[in-house]
Amino acid sequence: MIISVASGKGGTGKTLVATSLALSIKDRDKVQLLDCDVEEPNDHVFLKPTITRSEAVYIPVPKVDEDKCTYCGKCAEVCAYNAIAVSPKHVLIFPELCHGCGACSYLCPEKVISEVGREIGVVESGNSDGVEFVHGRLAIGEAMAPPIIRKVKEQANGEGTVIIDVSPGTSCPVVEAVKDSDFCLLVTEPTPFGLNDLVLAVETVRELNIPCGVILNRTGVGDRKVEEYCSKENIPILLTIPLDTEIARLYSKGITLVEGMPQWKESFLRLFAKIREIVNERGSGTKR
Ligand code: SF4
Ligand code: SF4
């Protein structure tokens, strides 16, 4: 089962949920935590894994043999990302804009474009007290998160439970990380900003046809609009976590919730059981 942990808004407690869920179920199920928030991975701060493997991630960018180029402009025309410009006597390539799609080399009429690998980040994996751990890191100044997310997801071993920590928002990196999940947990807070971004996140996961449930973090502040929205949209609120200075204190020290307050482990196990029930029900519904 693949469970992604996402949130429309940053800072709602995604990391807290992903790490505590992984640690809660590790004694009952094989569990792998994939931190796909590659622009700012921080699950390692809490799980402190021993990293045993590191692999650079490259994307193919074009290299033009200008001795044979006719400067026809076809490559610039087909590049959807404006990563190539052709002047009467020169071809300019902007590697930072290139998505490595290969269209220019495929469509160059003279076949004078080859591809060279450009390093954009790294994928590291290891283990943390029984949790298999993988995360990706996008190199500073790079903008192409999806290729690194794909590499992180390739490490999913297909055994037990895979938990994917997704970057905040609803853009391409989120879609890349969430797609193929069996369930998506949406972590939010009971504020107008939390609700606004939750609505966008729900639209995204529904578009991907992935069932979702909400975790309401920092309850006790804000209003009841998130609850009203979830009730109207028939989205289950699977766990509530109160605004609590002790939880904030643990988080600021890099201690997971279930390690600092072990009484929370039962709540995360119940959360896991509810997710499994929803996924199984949906699976049997699909088969019928
Ligand atoms: S499409 Fe090929 S031949 Fe035409 S300008 Fe680009 S590299 Fe040169
Ligand atoms: S590989 Fe794709 S994105 Fe990169 S320059 Fe060629 S057409 Fe543009």
Side-chain angles (χ1 to χ4, degrees):
M1 181 163 67
I2 303 174
I3 302 169
S4 49
V5 183
S7 65
K9 181 180 171 305
T12 54
K14 217 166 32 63
T15 301
L16 177 150
V17 169
T19 53
S20 282
L21 182 59
L23 289 173
S24 298
I25 62 178
K26 75 180 171 73
D27 297 330
R28 304 200 175 180
D29 198 8
K30 282 194 176 171
V31 59
Q32 204 180 19
L33 178 61
L34 311 182
D35 191 350
C36 286
D37 188 355
V38 301
E39 285 174 68
E40 210 177 346
N42 61 357
D43 289 351
H44 66 284
V45 173
F46 295 85
L47 293 185
K48 302 166 187 70
T50 304
I51 299 294
T52 51
R53 194 158 169 263
S54 180
E55 189 190 341
V57 180
Y58 300 86
I59 59 167
V61 297
K63 185 168 179 263
V64 176
D65 179 350
E66 290 209 31
D67 290 342
K68 296 178 184 157
C69 172
T70 60
Y71 305 103
C72 68
K74 185 77 185 167
C75 50
E77 197 186 304
V78 300
C79 180
Y81 305 100
N82 298 317
I84 303 189
V86 180
S87 68
K89 286 269 173 259
H90 206 54
V91 179
L92 265 179
I93 294 168
F94 305 98
E96 299 78 20
L97 299 179
C98 173
H99 281 53
C101 70
C104 53
S105 56
Y106 185 74
L107 292 166
C108 168
E110 309 301 325
K111 297 291 168 218
V112 295
I113 301 181
S114 55
E115 291 178 335
V116 289
R118 190 170 77 83
E119 188 173 334
I120 56 164
V122 68
V123 171
E124 296 175 320
S125 54
N127 196 286
S128 170
D129 192 22
V131 175
E132 271 194 53
F133 179 85
V134 187
H135 71 180
R137 291 176 189 270
L138 188 64
I140 292 168
E142 294 295 338
M144 225 63 70
I148 300 192
I149 293 170
R150 280 194 289 276
K151 278 281 174 202
V152 174
K153 290 178 76 177
E154 277 173 19
Q155 311 294 315
N157 56 18
E159 294 173 6
T161 301
V162 177
I163 297 169
I164 297 179
D165 192 352
V166 180
S167 54
T170 50
S171 56
C172 300
V174 175
V175 173
E176 191 64 54
V178 171
K179 71 180 186 193
D180 308 320
S181 296
D182 296 300
F183 192 84
C184 184
L185 272 174
L186 297 170
V187 187
T188 190
E189 57 184 25
T191 63
F193 296 117
L195 174 60
N196 181 71
D197 293 353
L198 173 66
V199 172
L200 298 173
V202 167
E203 282 172 13
T204 306
V205 292
R206 283 188 170 162
E207 195 65 36
L208 294 167
N209 195 25
I210 294 169
C212 67
V214 162
I215 294 189
L216 200 47
N217 189 16
R218 302 195 194 97
T219 56
V221 291
D223 52 33
R224 294 187 50 82
K225 294 219 166 67
V226 169
E227 282 148 291
E228 288 164 13
Y229 166 76
C230 289
S231 159
K232 183 166 83 64
E233 292 293 324
N234 209 15
I235 300 167
I237 295 179
L238 299 171
L239 180 68
T240 57
I241 302 172
L243 181 71
D244 182 334
T245 47
E246 178 60 9
I247 296 177
R249 194 183 61 79
L250 290 170
Y251 192 83
S252 69
K253 288 184 166 181
I255 301 170
T256 62
L257 179 58
V258 294
E259 282 173 319
M261 298 170 82
Q263 64 271 31
W264 275 95
K265 186 174 171 182
E266 269 311 308
S267 303
F268 278 94
L269 284 171
R270 279 198 297 276
L271 166 69
F272 182 60
K274 280 187 221 164
I275 295 171
R276 179 164 265 169
E277 206 179 295
I278 295 170
V279 170
N280 287 345
E281 263 173 27
R282 188 177 154 101
S284 52
T286 314
K287 278 178 207 143
R288 273 201 292 269

